[in-house]
Amino acid sequence: MMKKFFKNIGPGPLVAAAFIGPGTVTVCTLAGVNFGYALLWAMVLSVFATMVLQEMAARLGIVSQKGLSEVIREEIKNPITRGLAIILILSAIVVGNAAYEAGNISGGALGIQTIFGNPKIAIGNSDFALLPIIIGAIAFVILYIGNYKVLEKTLVSLVILMSLAFLTTAIITKPNLLEIFKGMVVPKISEKSVLTIIGLIGTTVVPYNLFLHASLAKTKWREQSDLHHARKDTIIAVVLGGIVSMCIIVSASAIPSQNISNAADLAKGLEPLFGINAKYFLSIGLFAAGITSAITAPLAAAYVASGCLGWKTNLKSARFRAVWIFILGLGVLFSSMGFKSIEIIKFAQIANGLLLPVIAGFLLWIVNKSSVLGTYKNSKLQNILGILILIITIFLGVKGILSVFKVFQ
């Protein structure tokens, strides 16, 4: 029974691994510290929206046997519109993932630093942090092997490790289960919490995951009869990812101090209250979150670039490898030097804010086309849910872009 279950595990855990990165951990930490259990409902909404969109992406990949960026290139007939769409996608996903990769690697290193400190090596007149280089090397080896099964098993193992670590941390804090349930089902919005709510939804409903899921689903499954496996895989993985995020919020709610800005601070804050084990579990969770995102972000960028530019999406092709090596290399370099390019991150956030509603809208349009999906096109219920999510993504996109301009003025 268990063997059959693991055999049918698909790209779902990889999608969960991609959206639970250091950024998600930080936003969830701040949500818990500042608002307690009050914003758990936002995570429930995020999980639901993610399930709906990721199911559409996986279905598109399996039925069409093409990645989302490939379908975009083929289905948009107007050359000017197609060119603009490709530029926006490449800007947001490839440049965006390059900007965020340093954060993914730094987040993983931060988890280990909490336990082992921050060793450095001197190269010439410069000091480089050693842990980001080690994390980058691990990610490089896993990606360079170029075997989907190896990639899948590695990331599934890391997601299980991350889930257990954050779940254990939440249990250690002895949370109030009735208050947790109330926070999940009773929406509360205040002027102070709006940006945090946008952050929680924005770090869960991720544009690059739609591209990643479609490409990985067609690699895992080639028969339309496998659609039910893909649907189950998506639901289980996204719900698991949502539970992990909620566990971080619950853990952070246990801290009375307001002087917490990231998960490393949270790990240190939990130690005097709940013992050194809480610190260790949280640090392991942060490490797993960082390294999984450090693997999936370059992978997604390579799939997107290959689809947009008409290359073969082969894990072992030279062009495919060149894209992810470039992004991983930049991430390792910037992370080990402690370099943070505010302008690049600002550009990536604006591009992603624009991209999410555009891609959600395009996905909704394409999964209603009989010429692409035949009898597997969207049902009325799926369309109603999709339109509601599209409205939310437009709101998020506008708010996110405005908040970026406000912060960086």
Side-chain angles (χ1 to χ4, degrees):
M1 183 74 180
M2 284 300 287
K3 191 178 179 182
K4 188 181 177 183
F5 172 77
F6 279 106
K7 186 184 175 184
N8 290 324
I9 285 179
L14 279 70
V15 170
F19 79 71
I20 309 169
T24 305
V25 175
T26 300
V27 172
C28 290
T29 298
L30 295 175
V33 168
N34 296 323
F35 305 102
Y37 303 149
L39 300 185
L40 286 171
W41 65 270
M43 276 311 309
V44 174
L45 176 66
S46 306
V47 165
F48 182 72
T50 303
M51 275 194 298
V52 173
L53 291 176
Q54 295 297 157
E55 188 278 331
M56 290 182 195
R59 182 162 26 107
L60 174 65
I62 294 167
V63 176
S64 70
Q65 280 298 294
K66 292 172 187 171
L68 181 53
S69 49
E70 290 173 75
V71 179
I72 288 172
R73 199 165 43 84
E74 290 174 9
E75 291 299 320
I76 299 178
K77 305 301 180 188
N78 184 296
I80 296 171
T81 308
R82 182 170 61 237
L84 287 171
I86 287 172
I87 290 167
L88 177 61
I89 291 163
L90 286 172
S91 299
I93 305 297
V94 180
V95 177
N97 283 13
Y100 295 135
E101 182 67 358
N104 292 331
I105 293 169
S106 297
L110 208 59
I112 301 298
Q113 277 175 37
T114 312
I115 302 172
F116 297 110
N118 186 21
K120 293 192 175 183
I121 53 169
I123 301 174
N125 295 323
S126 302
D127 283 339
F128 292 86
L130 186 60
L131 292 175
I133 297 169
I134 293 169
I135 289 171
I138 294 167
F140 179 89
V141 170
I142 292 164
L143 285 166
Y144 196 84
I145 288 168
N147 183 304
Y148 174 77
K149 285 185 178 178
V150 171
L151 187 69
E152 182 183 83
K153 284 177 181 174
T154 304
L155 286 170
V156 166
S157 302
L158 284 166
V159 168
I160 290 169
L161 174 68
M162 175 170 61
S163 305
L164 290 172
F166 286 129
L167 183 62
T168 307
T169 307
I171 291 168
I172 287 171
T173 63
K174 299 175 184 175
N176 185 321
L177 296 179
L178 189 62
E179 288 297 313
I180 288 174
F181 181 74
K182 191 177 169 185
M184 288 170 64
V185 297
V186 181
K188 286 182 182 177
I189 304 175
S190 66
E191 197 177 320
K192 288 182 179 179
S193 68
V194 170
L195 279 179
T196 308
I197 292 166
I198 291 169
L200 287 171
I201 298 171
T203 57
T204 309
V205 188
V206 184
Y208 85 70
N209 261 347
L210 299 172
F211 292 93
L212 184 65
H213 206 169
S215 296
L216 292 176
K218 74 180 177 67
T219 305
K220 173 73 177 181
W221 295 297
R222 300 190 179 274
E223 302 297 327
Q224 292 169 357
S225 57
D226 289 321
L227 281 169
H228 70 284
H229 291 311
R231 196 167 286 122
K232 192 188 293 182
D233 175 64
T234 302
I235 291 168
I236 292 170
V238 174
V239 169
L240 178 65
I243 291 169
V244 169
S245 297
M246 287 185 210
C247 284
I248 300 164
I249 294 173
V250 168
S251 301
S253 301
I255 302 290
S257 170
Q258 298 295 304
N259 300 320
I260 289 172
S261 58
N262 57 47
D265 292 341
L266 177 58
K268 290 168 188 169
L270 285 170
E271 186 181 353
L273 291 172
F274 303 103
I276 200 163
N277 287 337
K279 170 184 160 179
Y280 285 148
F281 282 119
L282 195 75
S283 298
I284 290 165
L286 181 58
F287 164 72
I291 199 166
T292 51
S293 292
I295 294 166
T296 52
L299 183 67
Y303 274 123
V304 168
S306 299
C308 284
L309 300 172
W311 303 341
K312 285 185 178 179
T313 52
N314 183 333
L315 287 168
K316 292 184 179 180
S317 77
R319 286 171 170 174
F320 190 91
R321 279 176 170 167
V323 176
W324 67 251
I325 287 171
F326 173 72
I327 286 169
L328 181 62
L330 275 183
V332 171
L333 181 65
F334 290 163
S335 177
S336 60
M337 290 172 65
F339 175 79
K340 291 177 183 175
S341 176
I342 297 297
E343 289 304 316
I344 295 173
I345 292 169
K346 175 185 173 182
F347 171 77
Q349 285 175 323
I350 292 169
N352 271 300
L354 286 168
L355 187 68
L356 182 54
V358 170
I359 294 303
F362 180 83
L363 185 62
L364 200 55
W365 169 60
I366 209 76
V367 291
N368 277 286
K369 293 191 77 168
S370 299
S371 59
V372 178
L373 288 175
T375 56
Y376 296 98
K377 67 179 186 178
N378 264 15
S379 65
K380 282 183 181 178
L381 177 61
Q382 285 170 321
N383 279 331
I384 290 166
L385 294 173
I387 290 165
L388 285 171
I389 292 164
L390 179 60
I391 292 166
I392 293 167
T393 61
I394 291 169
F395 171 77
L396 278 177
V398 173
K399 276 281 192 182
I401 291 165
L402 289 175
S403 69
V404 166
F405 280 120
K406 191 176 178 182
V407 169
F408 291 102
Q409 273 175 353

